Amino acid sequence: MLGAREFNFDGLVGPSHNYAGLSFGNVASFSNVRSMSNPRQAALQGLAKMRALAQRGFAQALLPPQARPNFRMLRAIGFSGTDADVLAQAWRDAPVILACAYSAAPMWTANAATVSPSADTLDGRVHFTAANLNNKLHRSEEHLQATRSLRAIFADQERFVVHDALPPTPAFGDEGAANHTRLAREHGSAGVEFFVYGRVEFDPSAPFPKKYPARQTLEASQAVARLHGLNPAQVVFAQQSPAVIDQGVFHNDVIAVGNGNVLFYHEQAFADEQDTLAALRVAMENVGAGLTAIRVDSADVPVADAVASYLFNSQLLSKPDGKMALVVPHECHENPAVARYLAQLTASGGPVDELVEFDLRQSMRNGGGPACLRLRVVLTDEEARAMHQGVIMTEALYARLVPWVEKHYRDRIEPKDLADPQLATECMAALAELETILGLPGLYDLS
């Protein structure tokens, strides 16, 4: 698979960006519940990140936001009348459910789907499986629009397959690429697909966290591997440490990140560190590659500091010189232990020799760092030409999206604003115009 590149599809933050604190187990999300958000700033911060990486030569695209509020869900549970009536009833009788209908969480596209490039799949096509996200009400319907968006962008069925989400039952709880990492000698070569799960549905003796939910099951990970036609010799399943989930590590991408042949991880990331590394090394040998494991000790960076700074919720990006850049949030600089570790890391002579820092405070306060905001999609040159071009980040697209955000997005949303029918009208108007900007008419069902 020559000429392949990894595209990072960042989530474009939607106009309903708000802090509802809906994600139990996500410490940052919970700690900012019901505080005031700034949707305009959130979207502009995300766009600035996309633009900067595109200017550096990294392949950068975006996934559009989802329609909010979710009137379909509100009507399905008994709220009726006009849209304004529905909002008023929900605000009066079930304000938490109204917040779920306004959730900004689709911005974190690492949860949108799991992706396997054509170099790994039996039929030689790129496979996507939208995540069902059934652990949380506010995310449980995201897969409907995620599937619709992915099929619009990757419409060529000779090259792409977009699977429906897994059955929406706890046995197949699937949180997408946030619990999936691909390792390979280079993007275009056959790779190892590394699935990390939090619990096993059908083995009562398997360990599980006691405080916070484990959102990804082994059964879901195995199902995705089957759907994508992956070679079992190139797949590794490993359990995330239950103890670290109970410390606020709700996804594997909060405690580990991989790129190329490098796995950057915390010593407490996995239930069995040694067995996990051994399995990865064997699988990497099967594809003619070695594994470079960068282990971060608790003595250097305690789990609490990793969670607070989102050190591991960063992006590892391959540079033309063969080295890697680590894309980190500004919070990593503010945490003394993490800042000290990163200075040592980049000076060590290892594969990571550069830090790229962004201000993503609006996303961070809602519980997601750089890695949460992006979905990694490896594409050959032909596949890249076959996908919809209107979502690729260019200077021209950036120049259209910034004034669009400034026109349609509020600079503050408080909890009481979710009851305002005008906010819903503004959100729908913004998305109707976005369809035109991206060249994706009919992307949304705005009827």
Side-chain angles (χ1 to χ4, degrees):
M1 194 166 91
L2 300 177
R5 303 177 70 195
E6 180 183 80
F7 280 76
N8 285 281
F9 280 76
D10 278 37
L12 177 56
V13 180
S16 73
H17 169 69
N18 69 97
Y19 299 140
L22 298 170
S23 191
F24 181 63
N26 182 329
V27 176
S29 172
F30 244 49
S31 64
N32 291 293
V33 61
R34 302 184 69 80
S35 59
M36 186 182 70
S37 66
N38 187 330
R40 184 182 303 163
Q41 185 181 61
L44 293 177
Q45 286 175 345
L47 284 170
K49 171 181 174 289
M50 291 185 239
R51 181 195 193 195
L53 292 178
Q55 288 176 328
R56 284 280 305 265
F58 296 110
Q60 181 68 57
L62 65 83
L63 280 181
Q66 298 201 3
R68 294 292 182 267
N70 186 344
F71 281 112
R72 197 210 68 78
M73 182 187 77
L74 293 172
R75 293 181 185 280
I77 58 175
F79 298 114
S80 60
T82 65
D83 287 351
D85 292 337
V86 167
L87 296 174
Q89 293 166 31
W91 175 250
R92 182 190 67 224
D93 298 339
V96 174
I97 294 178
L98 177 60
C100 289
Y102 260 114
S103 167
M107 63 196 274
W108 297 312
T109 55
N111 299 122
T114 303
V115 187
S116 295
S118 54
D120 296 351
T121 62
L122 185 64
D123 64 4
R125 294 185 291 176
V126 184
H127 283 247
F128 303 78
T129 295
N132 60 31
L133 299 168
N134 67 357
N135 188 262
K136 298 286 183 287
L137 171 63
H138 69 286
R139 307 208 68 177
S140 62
E141 292 203 350
E142 286 182 26
H143 66 92
L144 299 173
Q145 182 62 49
T147 301
R148 183 172 178 146
S149 296
L150 289 170
R151 286 177 177 160
I153 296 169
F154 300 99
D156 185 344
Q157 295 183 24
E158 291 186 4
R159 293 179 173 86
F160 309 116
V161 185
V162 180
H163 300 277
D164 290 334
L166 299 178
T169 174
F172 291 106
D174 179 22
E175 300 277 320
N179 293 307
H180 172 265
T181 301
R182 181 176 187 264
L183 300 167
R185 187 177 64 254
E186 55 190 24
H187 292 314
S189 61
V192 172
E193 305 221 6
F194 180 34
F195 294 83
V196 179
Y197 60 92
R199 67 181 183 87
V200 184
E201 173 76 8
F202 298 118
D203 182 0
S205 68
F208 60 91
K210 304 299 192 294
K211 181 179 179 181
Y212 292 136
R215 306 183 189 184
Q216 183 83 25
T217 67
L218 170 61
E219 291 82 359
S221 297
Q222 291 170 330
V224 171
R226 283 192 297 269
L227 284 170
H228 292 194
L230 302 181
N231 182 343
Q234 296 167 222
V235 177
V236 172
F237 301 101
Q239 182 163 16
Q240 188 174 351
S241 165
V244 88
I245 293 176
D246 280 339
Q247 294 179 70
V249 180
F250 52 99
H251 289 136
N252 179 63
D253 68 3
V254 180
I255 203 71
V257 60
N259 176 60
N261 69 335
V262 174
L263 179 66
F264 179 51
Y265 74 102
H266 193 277
E267 68 165 307
Q268 296 185 42
F270 308 113
D272 192 324
E273 178 188 3
Q274 296 309 313
D275 280 0
T276 298
L277 292 179
L280 285 172
R281 288 193 174 100
V282 170
M284 290 291 278
E285 289 174 1
N286 291 336
V287 296
L291 176 69
T292 298
I294 303 176
R295 181 187 200 252
V296 180
D297 294 339
S298 297
D300 294 324
V301 179
V303 170
D305 286 335
V307 172
S309 65
Y310 272 18
L311 165 62
F312 295 96
N313 197 246
S314 300
Q315 294 173 249
L316 261 181
L317 300 178
S318 298
K319 300 192 296 181
D321 64 2
K323 293 288 190 175
M324 296 186 188
L326 187 68
V327 178
V328 299
H330 185 63
E331 283 76 1
C332 285
H333 176 77
E334 297 174 338
N335 185 293
V338 172
R340 190 163 50 246
Y341 175 81
L342 287 174
Q344 296 169 355
L345 175 69
T346 53
S348 68
V352 182
D353 71 345
E354 181 185 1
L355 298 180
V356 182
E357 184 180 310
F358 288 105
D359 179 1
L360 299 170
R361 202 167 300 273
Q362 285 290 316
S363 176
M364 290 286 286
R365 292 187 69 198
N366 221 4
C372 284
L373 284 165
R374 64 91 175 93
L375 182 69
R376 304 164 71 170
V377 184
V378 171
L379 300 171
T380 65
D381 292 341
E382 285 188 359
E383 291 161 353
R385 288 191 292 269
M387 76 173 178
H388 178 68
Q389 303 297 291
V391 296
I392 297 175
M393 180 53 60
T394 61
E395 284 298 305
L397 180 58
Y398 180 82
R400 294 189 71 185
L401 288 174
V402 167
W404 169 79
V405 168
E406 292 172 340
K407 172 184 175 183
H408 289 286
Y409 283 49
R410 297 187 180 190
D411 62 5
R412 58 184 294 162
I413 288 182
E414 299 180 65
K416 63 180 177 61
D417 295 327
L418 303 186
D420 179 9
Q422 182 59 31
L423 176 60
T425 299
E426 292 169 9
C427 290
M428 297 302 177
L431 297 188
E433 187 173 329
L434 183 63
E435 288 183 333
T436 300
I437 293 173
L438 299 181
L440 290 170
L443 178 65
Y444 301 105
D445 180 5
L446 299 175
S447 58

